[in-house]
Amino acid sequence: MADERSFFETGLDEPLIVANEPRPPREKLNPPQWLRKRLFNSWYNSAVTLVLIPVIAYLGWRFFSFLVFNARWDPVRNNLTLFMVGRFPRAELWRVVAQVVIWSSAIGLAWGAAVAGAKARALRAGLPYREDPLLAKVRRYGALLVIVGLFLAMTQTWGPLIIFAGSVASAAVLQFLGSRTAAEHVAFLWAGVAVLGVAGFQVVSGFYGNGWLWMGVPIAVAASKLVGRIEWSSPLAARLARLGGVAVVLVVAYVAYMVIDHRGVGWEQWEGLRLNLLAAPIAIVLAFPLGVALAIARRSSFPALRIISTGYIELIRGVPLISLLLMGQFFIGFFLNTTTPLSSITRAITALTMFTSAYIAEIVRGGLQSIPRVQVEAGQSVGLRPFTIIRLIVLPQALRNVIPAMVGQFIALTKDTTLLSIIAVADLLYVRGIVHAQAEYRAFGIAETLVFVALIFWAITFSMSRESQRLERKLGVGER
Amino acid sequence: MKRLIVLLVGLTLVVGACADGGDNASSLLDTVQARGTVLCGVNDVLPGFGIVDDAGNFGGFDVDLCRVVAAAVLGNANAVEFVPLTAGERFTALQSGEIDVLIRNTTWTATRDGQEGSTFLLTTFYDGQGVMVPEASDVTSIEDLADANICVLSGTTTELNLTSVFNSRGIPFNPVVYADNTGLRPAYEEGQCDAWTSDVSQLTAYKAAIEDEGGAAQRILSDVISKEPLGPVVLDGDSGWAQAVEWAIMATVQAWEFGITSGNVTGFPTDDDNVRRFLGQLDFEAGLGLPSDFAVQVISQVGNYEEIYNRHLVPIGLPLSGSPNDLWTNGGLMYVPPYR
Amino acid sequence: MTTSTDKRAADPRIAWYRNVRILRVVVQSVFVAAVFTLLFWLFNNLINNLDRLRIGTDFGFLGRSTGFQIPYDEGFDPRSPVRDMVLVGVKNTLLAGFFGILLATVLGVIIGVSRLSTNWLVAKLAAIYVETFRNIPPLIIIIFFGFAVFTYGPFPVLSNAAEIRFPGADRTGLILSNTVWGIPSFLAGPNIGVFWASMAVAVVAAAVAFGWRTRLHERTGAPERRARWSFGVFMVVALAGLVLGGDAFSISWPELSETRRRVVGGFRLNNGFISVTVALGLYTASHIAEIIRGSILAVPKGQSEAANAIALTGFQRYRYVLLPQAMRIAVPPIISQYLNLVKNTSLGVAVAYAEITNLTLTSIGNGRPAPQSILVLMGVYLMFSLTISFLLNIYNRRIQLVEH
């Protein structure tokens, strides 16, 4: 049976992205009216304004002059590569460049596929769909663009600018093409995203050893979905064909890895900002299935499942992340009988995953609670098994409802990756310490490098929280 | 329901299959030889002993001893992977198997031998604990440090010695404890501490570094608070690996005693059977698991003890002659058993 | 309908492998067995590895002596057992937590309400504050205070500390340096018992006044003014007690010792404590400001309009209409922010503040067994969070709107 749905469709005939609605008109005030209304509307407010204006002006002038005139920015400017990738072997930096280009293409393709899917759904539901104009898109990511622009200005070489322009160009082209594809072909786009994602990962770590399993699985899933789209003669044949697709992909991956056996730079050597940006998504992706399972277990009718999952969740949520990271550092290796010891980063990501899974479990539990019992009863009345009800009816709605909370958790996790510096894993903050351990920058530029690091985190999390607010508004979550 | 049962039974089987313990019977020596690299825990911020230069290369006295071990066990002094560690995490790295050997200016004490699951090998550097103050301060001995803030590293013998010595002499003090020297050094230089206590070798190294980089002049007090024998550490219960490492390092001292240097090791003229046996020219097998020419590899690729010492420690102000690290024939403490 | 399903379930003719009740028990037992097997296997590995390394597997290390001196805690004897070190760590954590919570609440409420001000400048400044501090990792703020403000900052070395006098006082009121700050404190004098007695009497008198005004209001309809009356009675009785008792307190002024290396007297705040408290206070204040703003906005607009319709002033509108309803929504998230603040004090490791995580790491570095020490550490934090969750649950149950 042809399966027209794409990976991320909720299975409900509702467009995920609502058409842009017109906003109520804003009042227009000319300057004197505005001053009177906003700054001097009562004696109290006038007094406060009159006190604040000189104070702000003075502080602003001091801060601005510090930033532009007195600050020593050379610790930042001369160590940009160190900040971005840490002590990554300089001869292998081409891998990082390739990864950036491949992943921005993947992001562009995914964005295009999402837009195409949304358009198709809007069309089916009979609603109009208007894409954001380009200016609005640029404004959304203003903070990030400013930071990237500052960074590029500091490098004072052409390389990073070319790389940045290339990545943006390829992302834009793929987004454009993707958003114009017809609805039935969107599944191919998502398969392409999976392949590109995997390729971006592997171009850095290399093609050897057990990587075939990690990387084969997403492509196998994509393949099975694609194979399922073909019209087969019977359901049995479809099932066999899908299994066959999965098997073929896995076998090909295995053989390819054994043959190529090309070692790249393993994740023990991923450092700097790159580590922060990669650790958070990896932890969330690994923690997501575990968290969903825990949430379902916590609400199950079996007391054993409930007690065990509640115990785990409350235990992990009650302790600070640093203690879990220390536990990982000091004795997680003792729990397993591995022949080779786990690297620092593996242990850190294990601890991060455990931590995140408990928080995701709580979020998903809230989402599950928000689904009216009627849905479950409707599923039961049609004769579905409990697990099928959860899989096809409850979970899609629940996950859609908690998207803003998930994004909030992702933001918090990105900020928490700075804790890796305390256990001597070389993230951006730790690399800052390395910069200041160099003889020339020992006592200089302390505040400047800290401001630089803070600015990078601020730009990333600010953009993400803006996106989350936008998404909340579009999904209509929280409106009564 | 059926599916759930199948799932859980499968889970139990999987867990059961993993339940047989790992195979601990082989020695670390075989593992290292199979792996082809030695994982060596070192310092990366201590000038002279273990430090990283701008290009990311490790260098120093302890670092060279790591290369000695690699040259002896694997025949290639560069087959080493350096794992930088802070004082607080060095023993857990050894316990968890993250490193094969810890050569990181570590003091040999009874508690560490007994409780940290580690075994100390020969002492490669006889040191003591001292105190450093800025030259401009008026402190001349420890008694002048009443009520002082004293910078010290966490997780070191210096921390414990500081407490016991000052308490037994009745001198009140306040320890300012940092996890590593990258945090401690700025605090000391900016005056948040009145004094810095550590091994005299560390203080000498940092005194040289601070003064070379334009900082204030420093004075190391003449009081030596305790004995600090520094040496390599391996994991308990693996005598094969321990012996291999120990004899590899002892070869450097033995070569010094014989007068063999990296310059003259090839074609070293000798009639002495002891020297010829040492250089692997006789048909002799000590059963240490090392190749017969390990001494030649060590000396030619890294050097003898005196060369290593002169390369790294003399430039930072630690003279060899007259110190306890001199050869026993010169009145020092470096005395190794014969290779026979 | 239900009876027939019950009968079916109990019907002996249904095979056991299709009987739902039995299957539920079987499945749960299998699951519990699997989990316990897994845990047992993990635990067994842990014990085996620890035995192999001859590290102790018991908690006896808590009774052995600590061996090291705790920074900025002159009273701690290094020979005391590790248990006492843990208590000192807990005390330091709670100190930083308490003052951080205080700062965060005050600042958070001010900024949260400012964000809703009609004054554009005030609202924008508050918005900038919130958006800045919410999006920066707290560790960076702590490091900023620890290093940029203290180590490399404007404060002088302790021997040259800035000794500031309050106008009109003859002794130094404030000592500022880059390691220790000194502020005045109160010392108990010889008549301290009189003070406590008069405080107790004052509290009782205030309660009596409270009850009296309530009954008066119910009987005659006179305005209650309970808070004013009980506060006034309390102050009068307490001041009378202070004056009559006399000499209950003395003020302890901070000053430098003769060696000029220590501050004696007064409250001594070390730079780690100040960095952690101020940094976490600023960070958490931004979250609390957002929560307060959100909760005030969540009160239906109709309430504000009704208040305006009966001509309440702005202050009255907040006090009688908005804040009571907003607090109901705001209190649970604010309490969980408090918990986060206490957990974030563990970041004091970065600035060498002697809270429980830092002390645990130091003791592990000095040879105490790592797994047990970290379990003790986790247990301490679990105690905090379980206590706070418990209190929060009680509060929630009491204020929940009873819906019929």
Side-chain angles (χ1 to χ4, degrees):
Chain A
M1 190 93 47
D3 189 11
E4 290 190 52
R5 294 179 290 184
S6 68
F7 291 166
F8 289 82
E9 194 171 297
T10 60
L12 304 171
D13 259 357
E14 245 179 74
L16 184 63
I17 300 178
V18 176
N20 300 330
E21 285 164 2
R23 287 210 197 123
R26 303 170 66 136
E27 58 177 336
K28 293 214 190 319
L29 303 167
N30 56 30
Q33 284 176 335
W34 183 85
L35 272 183
R36 162 151 278 189
K37 180 148 192 237
R38 295 268 182 258
L39 289 183
F40 295 103
N41 53 6
S42 74
W43 70 269
Y44 175 74
N45 274 338
S46 314
V48 165
T49 311
L50 285 176
V51 165
L52 275 184
I53 286 189
V55 169
I56 302 292
Y58 174 68
L59 287 177
W61 169 245
R62 287 294 301 265
F63 188 61
F64 176 72
S65 64
F66 165 74
L67 275 186
V68 175
F69 300 125
N70 300 336
R72 290 198 40 172
W73 290 109
D74 35 334
V76 173
R77 213 180 307 128
N78 297 343
N79 290 303
L80 279 176
T81 324
L82 207 56
F83 276 114
M84 292 298 128
V85 292
R87 294 167 294 200
F88 201 89
R90 296 290 183 256
E92 313 271 350
L93 271 184
W94 62 268
R95 295 180 188 272
V96 175
V97 171
Q99 183 178 56
V100 166
V101 174
I102 292 180
W103 273 353
S104 35
S105 319
I107 291 177
L109 199 57
W111 190 352
V115 166
K119 269 202 231 172
R121 277 194 296 278
L123 214 61
R124 263 211 307 270
L127 291 173
Y129 181 82
R130 269 198 323 256
E131 222 176 307
D132 284 334
L134 187 63
L135 194 59
K137 283 197 196 121
V138 168
R139 259 187 60 188
R140 262 158 68 178
Y141 301 111
L144 272 180
L145 285 177
V146 164
I147 300 298
V148 171
L150 273 175
F151 170 78
L152 288 176
M154 273 201 276
T155 58
Q156 295 172 349
T157 56
W158 287 112
L161 187 62
I162 297 180
I163 298 172
F164 177 67
S167 323
V168 167
S170 82
V173 163
L174 283 174
Q175 195 267 350
F176 181 76
L177 291 178
S179 61
R180 300 279 181 270
T181 51
E184 8 0 316
H185 301 310
V186 170
F188 288 102
L189 290 184
W190 287 115
V193 169
V195 169
L196 279 180
V198 162
F201 217 84
Q202 292 304 83
V203 83
V204 173
S205 4
F207 297 85
Y208 71 101
N210 284 335
W212 71 270
L213 186 60
W214 292 105
M215 297 305 133
V217 163
I219 301 189
V221 169
S224 96
K225 289 271 178 180
L226 283 183
V227 165
R229 298 167 61 80
I230 306 178
E231 298 265 358
W232 296 99
S233 54
S234 72
L236 182 61
R239 196 173 283 185
L240 279 179
R242 285 221 297 272
L243 274 176
V246 167
V248 161
V249 167
L250 287 179
V251 164
V252 165
Y254 182 72
V255 167
Y257 273 60
M258 291 303 130
V259 163
I260 301 182
D261 199 24
H262 168 82
R263 271 162 206 275
V265 179
W267 73 358
E268 302 87 44
Q269 290 186 285
W270 293 1
E271 300 181 348
L273 180 61
R274 199 161 155 269
L275 180 62
N276 289 91
L277 291 180
L278 285 176
I282 291 179
I284 282 229
V285 162
L286 291 178
F288 192 76
L290 186 59
V292 170
L294 281 170
I296 296 177
R298 192 167 177 179
R299 282 171 48 85
S300 101
S301 53
F302 294 143
L305 279 172
R306 249 202 334 262
I307 294 175
I308 292 181
S309 63
T310 309
Y312 175 88
I313 292 176
E314 290 305 320
L315 217 74
I316 303 269
R317 273 166 52 97
V319 295
L321 176 57
I322 188 70
S323 64
L324 283 174
L325 286 174
L326 289 175
M327 180 182 91
Q329 195 68 2
F330 282 118
F331 61 97
I332 264 194
F334 289 161
F335 283 118
L336 311 166
N337 269 336
T338 50
T339 43
T340 49
L342 305 170
S343 66
S344 274
I345 293 199
T346 315
R347 286 177 276 167
I349 294 207
T350 309
L352 273 180
T353 307
M354 279 174 56
F355 182 76
T356 313
S357 65
Y359 282 80
I360 288 187
E362 276 298 280
I363 292 175
V364 173
R365 179 174 83 113
L368 291 175
Q369 273 175 343
S370 69
I371 305 294
R373 194 159 161 63
V374 184
Q375 301 276 333
V376 176
E377 287 167 1
Q380 283 169 344
S381 71
V382 181
L384 295 176
R385 279 195 286 258
F387 195 65
T388 317
I389 295 179
I390 293 180
R391 187 167 65 96
L392 289 180
I393 298 181
V394 177
L395 259 190
Q397 296 184 65
L399 290 180
R400 206 191 97 183
N401 281 346
V402 300
I403 287 180
M406 284 287 198
V407 176
Q409 183 61 31
F410 184 63
I411 294 175
L413 186 61
T414 308
K415 288 193 294 182
D416 284 339
T417 52
T418 48
L419 265 64
L420 291 177
S421 64
I422 296 187
I423 53 172
V425 170
D427 82 314
L428 185 57
L429 209 48
Y430 188 84
V431 166
R432 175 189 166 268
I434 294 180
V435 165
H436 282 296
Q438 298 168 357
E440 316 89 273
Y441 303 119
R442 196 172 300 287
F444 299 120
I446 303 286
E448 288 85 339
T449 48
L450 207 50
V451 164
F452 176 69
V453 169
L455 203 60
I456 290 183
F457 276 107
W458 180 85
I460 295 174
T461 48
F462 182 72
S463 310
M464 285 203 282
S465 68
R466 277 289 216 235
E467 276 304 302
S468 150
Q469 284 166 5
R470 229 185 110 253
L471 207 54
E472 252 179 79
R473 273 203 301 272
K474 280 200 165 174
L475 289 179
V477 172
E479 280 173 18
R480 272 169 265 209
Chain B
M1 192 64 70
K2 242 184 340 189
R3 293 172 158 203
L4 201 53
I5 297 182
V6 167
L7 188 67
L8 291 176
V9 168
L11 199 67
T12 321
L13 284 177
V14 165
V15 165
C18 305
D20 52 82
D23 169 22
N24 298 336
S26 60
S27 162
L28 194 49
L29 183 57
D30 304 321
T31 317
V32 169
Q33 282 170 335
R35 193 197 303 133
T37 38
V38 175
L39 297 170
C40 199
V42 293
N43 206 332
D44 61 344
V45 288
L46 182 55
F49 284 87
I51 188 132
V52 182
D53 66 12
D54 291 334
N57 302 321
F58 281 85
F61 181 79
D62 287 336
V63 165
D64 267 356
L65 291 182
C66 286
R67 301 175 61 228
V68 161
V69 172
V73 170
L74 301 170
N76 175 7
N78 293 324
V80 194
E81 198 181 306
F82 296 107
V83 180
L85 299 166
T86 63
E89 59 184 7
R90 51 187 160 175
F91 283 104
T92 38
L94 189 62
Q95 290 158 9
S96 67
E98 202 182 324
I99 53 178
D100 302 320
V101 60
L102 173 70
I103 309 186
R104 192 209 172 274
N105 53 290
T106 308
T107 309
W108 187 354
T109 68
T111 329
R112 288 176 171 178
D113 243 347
Q115 278 180 11
E116 297 274 21
S118 56
T119 295
F120 279 75
L121 305 177
L122 79 158
T123 302
T124 51
F125 190 90
Y126 291 90
D127 203 355
Q129 179 178 344
V131 178
M132 179 161 81
V133 295
E135 182 72 50
S137 104
D138 53 1
V139 171
T140 49
S141 86
I142 295 196
E143 267 72 22
D144 297 334
L145 283 173
D147 283 346
N149 291 335
I150 305 189
C151 275
V152 68
L153 280 181
S154 132
T156 55
T157 48
T158 41
E159 193 179 8
L160 304 171
N161 288 334
L162 177 69
T163 308
S164 59
V165 166
F166 272 58
N167 280 348
S168 63
R169 295 197 203 184
I171 311 173
F173 74 104
N174 179 48
V176 181
V177 180
Y178 285 91
D180 59 18
N181 281 327
T182 42
L184 191 154
R185 189 174 151 178
Y188 175 73
E189 287 192 73
E190 296 296 319
Q192 284 184 316
C193 307
D194 304 297
W196 181 353
T197 182
S198 179
D199 299 341
V200 170
S201 57
Q202 275 203 31
L203 294 177
T204 317
Y206 279 113
K207 172 175 188 298
I210 293 177
E211 290 172 356
D212 283 344
E213 289 164 17
Q218 305 293 324
R219 175 196 321 147
I220 300 182
L221 301 182
S222 52
D223 305 68
V224 172
I225 303 184
S226 74
K227 299 185 283 192
E228 301 285 330
L230 310 178
V233 193
V234 294
L235 207 53
D236 262 346
D238 193 344
S239 44
W241 174 241
Q243 284 168 351
V245 173
E246 196 161 24
W247 281 94
I249 297 183
M250 292 200 286
T252 59
V253 180
Q254 185 66 72
W256 182 19
E257 190 181 329
F258 286 153
I260 309 177
T261 71
S262 55
N264 60 20
V265 62
T266 43
F268 187 75
T270 180
D271 293 327
D272 190 350
D273 266 356
N274 290 327
V275 178
R276 295 180 61 209
R277 187 186 312 117
F278 176 70
L279 292 175
Q281 294 165 2
L282 295 184
D283 186 16
F284 172 77
E285 177 54 59
L288 294 171
L290 296 170
S292 53
D293 65 343
F294 77 95
V296 175
Q297 295 297 336
V298 164
I299 307 304
S300 61
Q301 294 188 38
V302 189
N304 69 18
Y305 185 92
E306 185 185 23
E307 289 178 290
I308 299 176
Y309 194 108
N310 287 339
R311 191 182 304 151
H312 298 289
L313 299 181
V314 168
I316 62 169
L318 292 167
L320 181 54
S321 59
S323 76
N325 300 310
D326 209 348
L327 202 52
W328 65 283
T329 46
N330 297 338
L333 293 174
M334 283 299 168
Y335 182 122
V336 294
Y339 188 68
R340 185 179 314 126
Chain C
M1 195 71 72
T2 38
T3 42
S4 76
T5 19
D6 273 356
K7 267 205 284 212
R8 285 208 66 207
D11 190 333
R13 274 176 297 168
I14 291 194
W16 66 270
Y17 55 86
R18 292 218 314 251
N19 184 342
V20 176
R21 277 196 356 223
I22 297 186
L23 280 182
R24 282 169 62 97
V25 173
V26 165
V27 163
Q28 287 185 75
S29 328
V30 167
F31 179 73
V32 169
V35 168
F36 269 95
T37 316
L38 183 68
L39 287 178
F40 179 72
W41 175 71
L42 291 175
F43 191 67
N44 207 26
N45 282 343
L46 176 68
I47 302 284
N48 283 344
N49 279 323
L50 288 181
D51 280 340
R52 175 175 62 96
L53 297 168
R54 286 208 285 278
I55 302 173
T57 51
D58 57 359
F59 283 86
F61 74 98
L62 287 171
R64 292 191 210 111
S65 75
T66 319
F68 57 91
Q69 179 82 9
I70 294 184
Y72 295 112
D73 194 335
E74 297 101 10
F76 184 77
D77 182 359
R79 282 184 290 262
S80 39
V82 176
R83 280 193 297 267
D84 292 358
M85 176 205 84
V86 170
L87 287 177
V88 171
V90 168
K91 173 192 78 141
N92 281 338
T93 303
L94 289 177
L95 259 180
F98 176 74
F99 285 102
I101 287 178
L102 213 56
L103 177 63
T105 312
V106 167
L107 204 54
V109 167
I110 293 177
I111 293 184
V113 172
S114 304
R115 240 190 120 161
L116 299 167
S117 160
T118 48
N119 186 328
W120 178 86
L121 200 58
V122 170
K124 266 291 180 268
L125 282 176
I128 290 179
Y129 176 91
V130 168
E131 285 305 321
T132 310
F133 278 94
R134 223 160 54 114
N135 291 320
I136 300 184
L139 184 56
I140 294 187
I141 309 180
I142 292 181
I143 291 184
F144 178 79
F145 277 97
F147 285 94
V149 171
F150 277 103
T151 306
Y152 289 102
F155 294 108
V157 184
L158 187 57
S159 39
N160 286 340
E163 295 170 85
I164 303 176
R165 273 161 220 245
F166 294 135
D170 57 340
R171 309 272 294 276
T172 317
L174 200 60
I175 293 188
L176 297 176
S177 76
N178 66 1
T179 44
V180 174
W181 287 7
I183 59 176
S185 75
F186 290 107
L187 277 185
N191 276 344
I192 190 71
V194 173
F195 170 73
W196 287 121
S198 61
M199 279 296 136
V201 169
V203 168
V204 167
V208 164
F210 194 87
W212 166 60
R213 290 303 299 190
T214 314
R215 280 196 306 279
L216 186 68
H217 170 75
E218 279 168 19
R219 231 183 27 236
T220 68
E224 277 179 338
R225 300 213 174 106
R226 296 186 293 194
R228 264 169 265 200
W229 272 91
S230 42
F231 184 67
V233 166
F234 177 84
M235 289 307 283
V236 163
V237 175
L239 280 172
L242 259 179
V243 164
L244 291 177
D247 213 9
F249 281 118
S250 55
I251 300 187
S252 159
W253 299 98
E255 60 181 14
L256 287 179
S257 62
E258 318 91 63
T259 53
R260 293 189 73 84
R261 289 200 191 111
R262 206 156 58 95
V263 173
V264 291
F267 273 134
R268 294 174 292 281
L269 313 169
N270 62 66
N271 59 342
F273 172 78
I274 298 176
S275 307
V276 169
T277 308
V278 171
L280 288 181
L282 290 178
Y283 176 74
T284 315
S286 66
H287 284 273
I288 291 184
E290 264 309 275
I291 292 173
I292 289 193
R293 181 184 83 113
S295 64
I296 292 183
L297 285 181
V299 176
K301 200 153 162 26
Q303 302 280 321
S304 275
E305 291 168 352
N308 280 335
I310 59 173
L312 296 179
T313 66
F315 180 73
Q316 287 170 330
R317 191 175 79 235
Y318 266 93
R319 159 123 171 55
Y320 293 112
V321 176
L322 285 182
L323 281 184
Q325 297 185 62
M327 278 303 122
R328 184 195 304 278
I329 306 177
V331 167
I334 289 186
I335 302 276
S336 77
Q337 285 299 324
Y338 288 167
L339 187 59
N340 276 343
L341 192 148
V342 173
K343 288 197 291 182
N344 277 338
T345 56
S346 58
L347 299 175
V349 175
V351 289
Y353 177 54
E355 42 80 44
I356 182 69
T357 313
N358 200 0
L359 290 179
T360 306
L361 277 178
T362 311
S363 84
I364 291 179
N366 279 326
R368 305 280 163 257
Q372 292 92 308
S373 305
I374 295 194
L375 283 177
V376 166
L377 176 68
M378 286 185 170
V380 164
Y381 281 110
L382 261 183
M383 236 169 42
F384 293 150
S385 59
L386 288 179
T387 313
I388 293 191
S389 305
F390 181 68
L391 293 175
L392 190 57
N393 277 341
I394 295 181
Y395 174 83
N396 264 345
R397 241 174 283 144
R398 283 193 51 194
I399 62 145
Q400 244 167 29
L401 298 170
V402 180
E403 286 171 9
H404 295 288

